[in-house]
């Protein structure tokens, strides 16, 4: 029996499913688990990396933002690579590339070298999740897809939950570089198991690769990321920032023109003519920005300002991932009955409320408060995340659902990268302004300053710096709160009520299960 499956942006014909699919499925979970784990494990190591290599908060944020952006950029290439080389070969090569990039990250000698090696790591890592999903759909019989996705989903949920805790342990008790080195033996085992247990996927004739489309979209996204990341330090009205923004927008405009003109576009942009889908992308972008801002800045703050060790920081963010894992399956069942509108609207309002609570963050905030705030926020994200994605894809015609799935993945990656870069620029700019304001209030001839002595002045300066950091981060959370509220208002435009269960509707949502 054969079936049609999604491969990163279009439909291909699957090979016959295997009766013994559990072993190959577990092998594929290894590759998917590694890339998702690496997106979260790095966050608790950021303060240590900043301490060793130096650099501002926005500079160090590139360790995460560059990785996320490259993940999104390489996703559209997976369909062409899978057809040209065969899915099993692409999987093995990507594992080897990911291991090599990880090893290079481990030997990095500066912040610049670490960021560069993260790009290499992400170039291979971005391919793995899409390739593994495609192979699962081609290996598992249709009647067993639900069971297979349940097993596959354990890895997707476990990785972000384990990442910060494992990373915190390695940073505190071993060395931060081990969070990268640990990928190497896992990848080697993954390649050996893949050679032994994965079926062979034959290559097939391919269409010409859309080189111009790939170059223009990659150049545009990188230019915008650099502009948003460095705008605070270079000056938003400086020639380099204005030039990058103009060049990035021009490059993306050229990408759109190319995609409508070439016979085999990298991404089918006709999906943007569907407002329910476009609306879902806007909501997903805001949701992703808020999620990554919390994952990045909470571990950074509790280590840098509150003095918690890396392991405690990892344990602090573990409950929110577990809460999201519990809420998401419940949301799926409720979605089938009432549709996405009220689930997403309610979820985003809960997320906005929890983010507003985070504006009370300061050096005296208890760990219990932070766990409570992040868990409340995870309830909202868990209700909204799957629902808004499913509603957007199900609104597309069957011919566009695969392109919609690929663009959805790209938007999540890009919005997390650009959003974190913009918010990091906001935090850095706020810190600089608040520091200047406070310094302006203290006169060098102030007799009170003289009575403090050198030790007292040092303590005053340290306390002031921590307060400034807390104020800057809480201001960032306030901005995130209001954009989340705006996204909740957009959610009122989503479908209400269950989807009509025709054959096309089932086909559209099957890609998400």
């Amino acid at each position: 029996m054969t079936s049609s499956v999604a491969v990163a942006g279009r439909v291909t014909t699957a090979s016959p499913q295997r009766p013994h699919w559990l072993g190959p499925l577990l092998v594929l979970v290894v590759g998917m688990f590694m890339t998702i784990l690496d997106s979260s494990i790095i966050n608790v190591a950021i303060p240590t990396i900043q301490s060793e290599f130096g650099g501002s908060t926005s500079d160090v944020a590139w360790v995460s933002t560059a990785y996320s952006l490259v993940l999104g950029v390489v996703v559209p290439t997976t369909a062409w690579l899978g057809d040209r080389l065969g899915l099993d070969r692409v999987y093995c090569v990507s594992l080897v590339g990911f291991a090599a990039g990880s090893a290079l990250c481990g030997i990095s000698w500066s912040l610049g070298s670490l960021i560069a090696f993260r790009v290499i790591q992400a170039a291979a890592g971005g391919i793995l999740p899409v390739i593994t999903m495609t192979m699962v759909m081609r290996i598992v019989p249709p009647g067993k897809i639900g069971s297979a996705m349940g097993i596959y989903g354990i890895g997707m949920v476990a990785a972000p939950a384990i990442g910060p805790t494992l990373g915190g342990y390695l940073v505190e008790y071993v060395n931060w570089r081990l969070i990268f080195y640990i990928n190497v033996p896992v990848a080697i085992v993954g390649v050996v198991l893949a050679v032994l247990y994965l079926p062979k996927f034959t290559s097939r004739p391919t269409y010409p690769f859309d080189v111009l489309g790939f170059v223009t979209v990659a150049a545009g996204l990188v230019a915008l990321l650099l502009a948003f990341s460095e705008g605070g330090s270079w000056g938003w009205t400086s020639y380099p920032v204005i030039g990058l923004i103009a060049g990035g927008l021009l490059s993306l405009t050229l990408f759109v023109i190319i995609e409508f003109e070439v016979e085999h576009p990298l991404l089918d942009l006709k999906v943007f003519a569907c407002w329910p889908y476009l609306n879902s992308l806007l909501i997903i972008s805001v949701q992703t920005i808020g999620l990554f801002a919390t994952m990045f800045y909470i571990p950074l703050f509790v280590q840098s300002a509150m003095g918690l060790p890396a392991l405690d920081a990892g344990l602090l963010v573990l409950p929110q991932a577990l809460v999201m894992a519990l809420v998401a399956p419940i949301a799926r069942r409720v979605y089938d009955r009432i549709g996405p509108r009220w689930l997403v609207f309610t979820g985003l309002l809960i997320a906005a409320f929890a983010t507003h609570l985070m504006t009370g963050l300061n050096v005296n905030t208890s760990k219990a408060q932070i766990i409570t705030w992040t868990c409340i926020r995870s309830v909202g994200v868990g209700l909204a995340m799957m629902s808004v994605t499913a509603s957007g894809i199900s609104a597309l015609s069957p011919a566009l659902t695969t392109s919609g799935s690929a663009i959805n993945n790209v938007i999540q990656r890009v919005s997390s990268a650009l959003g974190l870069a913009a918010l990091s620029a906001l935090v850095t700019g706020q810190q600089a302004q608040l520091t200047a304001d406070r310094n302006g209030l203290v006169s060098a001839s102030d007799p009170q300053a003289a009575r403090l002595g050198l030790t007292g002045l040092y303590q005053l300066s340290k306390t002031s710096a921590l307060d400034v950091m807390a104020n800057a981060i809480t201001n960032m959370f306030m901005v995130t709160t209001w954009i989340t509220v705006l996204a909740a208002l957009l959610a009122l435009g989503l479908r209400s009520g269950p989807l009509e269960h025709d054959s096309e509707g089932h086909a559209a949502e099957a890609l998400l299960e």
Side-chain angles (χ1 to χ4, degrees):
M1 177 181 178
T2 61
S3 61
S4 293
V5 296
V7 186
R10 63 194 188 89
V11 173
T12 61
T13 301
S15 57
Q17 284 83 15
R18 295 167 59 88
H20 304 293
W21 50 267
L22 183 58
L25 174 65
L26 294 177
V27 172
L28 294 175
V29 169
V30 174
M32 177 274 300
F33 182 87
M34 282 176 54
T35 55
I36 298 179
L37 180 73
D38 224 67
S39 298
S40 60
I41 197 173
I42 187 68
N43 291 329
V44 294
I46 292 296
T48 304
I49 293 171
Q50 185 174 14
S51 176
E52 181 168 335
F53 289 150
S56 66
T57 302
S58 61
D59 291 334
V60 180
W62 271 80
V63 175
S64 292
T65 55
Y67 183 84
S68 296
L69 180 64
V70 175
L71 286 180
V73 169
V74 301
V75 164
T77 68
T78 53
W80 189 87
L81 289 172
D83 281 350
R84 175 59 64 93
L85 302 177
L87 295 174
D88 55 314
R89 291 181 182 176
V90 175
Y91 178 79
C92 290
V93 170
S94 297
L95 273 180
V96 172
F98 190 80
S102 299
L104 290 172
C105 289
I107 64 172
S108 56
W109 55 90
S110 65
L111 186 59
S113 64
L114 176 58
I115 294 170
F117 294 147
R118 283 283 279 176
V119 169
I120 296 174
Q121 186 189 34
I127 295 173
L128 284 170
V130 183
I131 286 292
T132 54
M133 178 62 72
T134 304
M135 295 171 78
V136 168
M137 297 298 292
R138 294 182 61 175
I139 291 172
V140 179
K144 300 292 184 180
I145 287 296
S147 300
M149 294 311 299
I151 298 171
Y152 190 83
I154 292 174
M156 296 184 68
V157 170
I162 294 173
T165 307
L166 176 61
Y169 177 82
L170 295 176
V171 170
E172 184 173 348
Y173 293 106
V174 191
N175 190 290
W176 68 266
R177 296 176 186 273
L178 201 62
I179 65 176
F180 297 112
Y181 287 139
I182 198 173
N183 291 328
V184 177
V186 175
I188 293 173
V189 171
V191 171
V192 172
L193 292 175
V195 172
L196 293 176
Y197 294 105
L198 285 185
K200 300 301 179 184
F201 293 83
T202 57
S203 58
R204 62 191 68 194
T206 55
Y207 51 86
F209 183 68
D210 183 11
V211 177
L212 288 178
F214 179 75
V215 170
T216 50
V217 70
L221 294 175
V222 170
L224 290 178
L225 174 63
L226 183 59
F228 277 100
S229 179
E230 302 297 338
S233 57
W234 293 354
W236 291 104
T237 57
S238 64
Y239 288 121
V241 172
I242 294 175
L244 284 169
I245 293 176
L249 294 176
L250 181 62
S251 184
L252 291 179
T253 302
L254 185 59
F255 167 72
V256 172
I257 295 173
I258 291 171
E259 296 308 279
F260 280 114
E261 293 295 327
V262 297
E263 183 178 357
H264 300 288
L266 192 67
L267 296 170
D268 193 337
L269 301 185
K270 295 185 181 69
V271 295
F272 292 110
C274 176
W275 168 246
Y277 175 77
L278 179 58
N279 188 26
S280 74
L281 292 185
L282 295 175
I283 298 171
I284 288 169
S285 298
V286 172
Q287 196 171 246
T288 304
I289 290 170
L291 179 62
F292 272 75
T294 304
M295 290 175 61
F296 181 84
Y297 277 103
I298 290 296
L300 176 67
F301 180 81
V302 298
Q303 290 181 83
S304 300
M306 298 173 64
L308 293 182
L311 179 58
D312 286 1
L315 291 172
L316 204 63
V317 297
L318 176 62
Q320 66 171 340
L322 298 178
V323 168
M324 194 181 304
L326 291 173
V327 172
I330 298 173
R332 174 65 187 176
R333 288 192 287 270
V334 176
Y335 171 90
D336 290 335
R337 296 184 179 183
I338 69 172
R341 179 187 297 172
W342 300 113
L343 265 178
V344 178
F345 178 73
T346 304
L348 290 175
L349 285 185
I350 293 174
F353 171 71
T355 308
H356 178 69
L357 292 178
M358 292 179 191
T359 61
L361 195 68
N362 58 67
V363 293
N364 297 316
T365 302
S366 68
K367 291 190 286 186
Q369 285 177 296
I370 294 176
I371 291 173
T372 301
W373 296 342
T374 54
C375 285
I376 293 173
R377 194 178 194 286
S378 289
V379 171
V381 174
L383 289 175
M385 180 176 289
M386 183 286 308
S387 303
V388 69
T389 302
S391 69
I393 299 296
S394 63
L396 296 172
S397 65
L400 294 176
T401 52
T402 49
S403 288
S405 298
I407 292 174
N408 186 291
N409 198 311
V410 172
I411 290 297
Q412 290 186 50
R413 300 298 186 181
V414 171
S415 60
S416 66
L418 291 178
L420 186 56
L423 292 177
S424 297
L426 172 65
V427 170
T428 303
Q430 286 275 299
Q431 284 181 289
Q433 184 62 54
L434 291 170
T435 300
D437 293 343
R438 292 196 175 204
N439 291 340
L441 297 175
V442 179
S443 170
S445 59
D446 191 333
Q448 293 184 356
R451 285 196 294 271
L452 288 174
L454 290 177
T455 302
L457 286 173
Y458 171 76
Q459 291 295 334
L460 178 63
S461 174
K462 184 177 180 180
T463 301
S464 177
L466 293 178
D467 287 339
V468 163
M469 181 183 185
N471 287 339
I473 291 177
T474 55
N475 288 342
M476 180 272 297
F477 280 134
M478 181 60 73
V479 171
T480 307
T481 298
W482 285 110
I483 63 173
T484 305
V485 171
L486 291 176
L489 296 178
L490 287 175
L492 294 175
L494 298 176
R495 172 178 54 84
S496 179
L499 186 70
E500 294 183 7
H501 292 285
D502 54 20
S503 59
E504 292 184 355
H506 281 301
E509 291 199 337
L511 296 172
L512 299 171
E513 295 180 348

